[in-house]
Amino acid sequence: QCRLIGLWRNEQDSLMEISALRDNGDFQGKYLTQVTLSGGCAHISPLKGIQQQPGEGGWPTFAFTVRWDKFSNATTAFAGQCFVDSGGKETLTTMWLLREAVGSLKEDWKATR
């Protein structure tokens, strides 16, 4: 069984720590990104999410958001699934969508990556 609680590192050396997972699937933690829009120093940002109920079978799917409010006016939403290989190694796969604030509706086209 895959457990989201713990420390995770991605290919960019960003770190995510999920510190609390409730029985209903809600979780929270923090994210330390090594990739920033401004090219500045990385900061720890809060994350909140939810995972598929563990009793529903299969490897859990999950989604979470990260609020980059300490250094950027942007929010990122991640959705993914946890897998366990035959050796017991857990891997999270995700897709993300980043929304950056823009000054007008005319600039909306460039706000989402």
Side-chain angles (χ1 to χ4, degrees):
Q1 170 123 5
C2 213
R3 291 196 33 93
L4 293 181
I5 288 180
L7 186 63
W8 299 89
R9 179 184 308 272
N10 71 9
E11 309 81 34
Q12 304 296 323
D13 282 332
S14 295
L15 297 173
M16 175 177 73
E17 182 176 20
I18 297 177
S19 55
L21 177 61
R22 296 189 180 100
D23 290 341
N24 67 358
D26 290 354
F27 63 86
Q28 62 187 29
K30 52 191 170 187
Y31 199 99
L32 175 63
T33 184
Q34 297 298 331
V35 180
T36 63
L37 294 173
S38 63
C41 295
H43 295 275
I44 295 173
S45 298
L47 71 82
K48 290 185 181 184
I50 191 161
Q51 83 165 35
Q52 164 196 8
Q53 293 294 349
E56 294 175 9
W59 293 322
T61 58
F62 58 89
F64 63 92
T65 58
V66 178
R67 186 182 70 222
W68 310 110
D69 63 342
K70 300 290 184 198
F71 63 97
S72 174
N73 195 3
T75 301
T76 303
F78 294 80
Q81 187 170 0
C82 187
F83 295 95
V84 181
D85 69 15
S86 59
K89 180 182 177 187
E90 296 174 323
T91 301
L92 303 181
T93 61
T94 62
M95 295 290 290
W96 56 267
L97 196 63
L98 182 138
R99 177 65 188 212
E100 185 177 13
V102 292
S104 70
L105 185 56
K106 282 185 173 182
E107 297 175 294
D108 185 61
W109 65 271
K110 66 179 184 178
T112 303
R113 300 171 195 217

